[in-house]
Amino acid sequence: MSKIRAAITGVHGYVPDYVLTNEELSTIVDTNDEWITSRTGIKTRHILKGEDQGTSVMVVEALKGLLKKTDTNPEDIDLVICATVTGDAIFPDTANIATYKTGMVNAFGFDLNAACSGFLYALTVGAKMIEGGTHKKVIVAGADKMSSIIDYTDRTTCVIFGDGGGAVLLEPTTDPDCGIIDYMHRGDGSGEKHLYLVAGGSRKPATVDSVIAREHFVTQNGRPVFKAAVTGMSDVVKKVMAHNNLDAESLDWLVPHQANFRIIQTVAKMADFPLEKVMSNIERYGNTTAGTLPLCLHDYEPQLKKGDNLILTAFGGGFTWGALYLKWAYDGDKVKRLD
Ligand code: UT7
């Protein structure tokens, strides 16, 4: 009997309406369009505005769109895994809020926190639930409201991040020409010192002093993270390519985490892979943390064909990183888009 694999049978992305431009940022902090564009490739990012608007707002939009595009009944969903570092609250989990708000009454849900690698790790977990034979329809979402943990007086971080996310539907397949085939994930806790939130967790709960000291915002040492990101991602991409006998010719798309366009260019170069086959939308969204990979798949969906070979790769706080190889399961140009 053919092996059961998990195939991505639909994708939908969502970004909030408000567009924060480089021009507007240059009125908030000492920066300019030239610096941001040349150092990061980012022109705009989207921001979720308004009272009581948490990450679940974006996850719910992504889930609703995904159900509609795939013509799926919410009651048929078994499980929702939501990758995020900016859940609505420390608990309950955002996946559970989203399943409730979308009528997925037979689903259970949980959040997974691996920073920018969250979606990749969650996709692997979701795929294993399908491969195990116990789950037939699993949704994997990745979304972050980074504006909720960004210090808009810190020019080294506020120009990079944005809000947004997306979700994919996973279903079982025995078709050898589609599905999630292989992955390699890595972690290195010594990277904690380069990308972190000081306070708000159990080690240093929120106090008046921690708020005054602005310790609830992202702190990043950009250069060491940049270096580790290009080394880490290019290493696992090359290993996954070699393990699956893929080369620049047979691989159709590289789907990298969108943290910095210079990182994307360098990883492509180190993996000896042409930039024309590398997905990128960082110019419009910035770094949406767990949201970047599903947003890329959503934007490039019309160009994807059944059987296309894709490698997804990500690197994030922790450090966490990885790469995942899949064969795309449908012709994207035949899907009715909602936007
Ligand atoms: O997704 C999670 C993983 N995160 C990443 O992968 C991010 C990795 N790191 C990066 O993408 C880059 O390191 C950054 C975009 C964060 C920074 O770019 P960089 O080329 O590494 O700049 P830098 O930190 O070395 O700073 C260069 C200069 C400094 O000025 P001096 O010391 O040379 O006078 C900074 O103060 O640029 C200055 N600078 C800015 N200038 C204008 C830093 N931020 C800004 C800014 N506008 N927004």
Side-chain angles (χ1 to χ4, degrees), residues 29-32 35-36 39-40 116 154-161 195 220-227 229 233 257-260 262-263 287 289 315-317:
V29 287
D30 180 15
T31 191
N32 55 73
W35 192 96
I36 304 171
R39 298 290 181 122
T40 70
C116 299
D154 176 6
R155 70 175 182 174
T156 68
T157 51
C158 75
V159 301
I160 300 168
F161 292 97
L195 185 48
Q220 176 173 255
N221 300 322
R223 289 208 168 176
V225 180
F226 188 109
K227 215 172 148 188
M233 284 194 284
H257 170 52
Q258 309 283 303
N260 183 324
R262 288 187 295 135
I263 294 179
N287 182 349
T289 301
F315 185 94

Side-chain angles (χ1 to χ4, degrees), residues 2 19 50 57 70 86 109 111 173 177 185 187 242 250 253 304 313 320 323:
S2 313
V19 178
V57 170
T70 56
T86 53
D111 292 357
T173 181
D177 235 1
H185 297 331
S250 51
W253 292 100
L304 294 170
T313 185
T320 56

